[in-house]
Amino acid sequence: MSTVLDEASLKTGKPEPSPRDAGPLTLDQIKLNIGDAIQLQFQSDVEPSRCFVTLIGYLEGQSVVVTTPILNGSMMLVREGQDFVVRLFSGKSAYAFAASAKRVTNTPYPHLHLTYPKEVRGMVVRGSSRGRTHIICHATVEGGRGHACIARDISIGGALIAASEKIGEVGKLLTLKLRVKVGEAEHVLALNCMIRSVNASRPTVDEKPTVLHGLSFEDVTGQDTLVISALLYQNMISAQEVDG
C-alpha cells in the first residue's frame, strides 16, 4: 500500500523500520479464510495500480488461488509471469508479499494461481491506533438527512468527524461515506457507524464552531479494513519521513 508494507522491504528482504513490524512469517501462520479480500498491486505502469480480489484457496509451496480482478464490470487482462505485491488483512495485522501470476485460466471459472511466497511481512494495526486526517465525507443518520462533515482522524475501529451541527444522539446509527487515496488508488468507503460521543469543539480565532462526533464502525468488511489499515500505514510512514 503506498503501502500496507514497503515495497523496498519486499524486494530486499529487509524488515521495514516499524515498531509494529510482525514479520517475517509463513503464509500458513497467518490463518487466512476462504473469501478474504486481497489487494493486488500491479508492478506495471500500464494497468491500474491496485485492485481487490477474493481468496479461493492456497496449497503450501505450490500456489495461492484468487479470483481474476474485475475493473468497471470487466475482467482485467493478466499475463502469466506478471508481478504483483499482494496485501491482505487478518486478525489485527496487515500483511504483504511479492508474487507473480503462475497460471491464468478461465476454466471452470476465471481465476489466477499466484506463486506461493517464501515469506510474508506483517505489521500489527491496533484498533485504537488513529491516524490524523482531513477527509471530506458525508454522514446520514437512519431516517434522517445527510450532513457534510470532515473526518479528523480514523482508526480500524472508528473515526472522529466534525460537522457544523449535531448529526444525531449518542447510540444512533449512521452511514459514513468517504473517499480515501492510498498511493495512486482511490477507494470509496460506505461505513456503518454508531455515534459514541458528541462534543462541541473549542475553535481557534480563525475557526468556525463545530460539533465533534466520535464514531465506532459496525460490521466493517475485510476489504474496507484493508483500505483503512493501508491509509494508517501510509500516514505513519509519511510522519516518520517528516520526523526523519
Side-chain angles (χ1 to χ4, degrees), residues 1 32-42 48-57 64-71 74-78 84-89 97 99 101 110-114 187 221-224 226-227:
M1 298 172 174
L32 299 179
N33 295 312
I34 304 303
D36 281 353
I38 291 178
Q39 186 191 68
L40 298 183
Q41 178 182 347
F42 287 75
S49 58
R50 292 171 173 82
C51 61
F52 283 96
V53 296
T54 300
L55 177 68
I56 297 174
V64 178
V65 187
V66 299
T67 57
T68 299
I70 295 176
L71 179 65
S74 300
M75 283 186 294
M76 297 178 63
L77 177 64
V78 178
F84 304 94
V85 173
V86 182
R87 296 187 175 87
L88 52 103
F89 189 91
F97 60 88
H111 63 280
L112 311 177
H113 285 261
L114 305 179
H187 304 275
T221 67
Q223 180 170 317
D224 288 345
L226 187 57
V227 171

Side-chain angles (χ1 to χ4, degrees), residues 16-28:
E16 58 181 309
S18 167
R20 300 190 183 95
D21 191 356
L25 301 166
T26 65
L27 191 62
D28 192 54

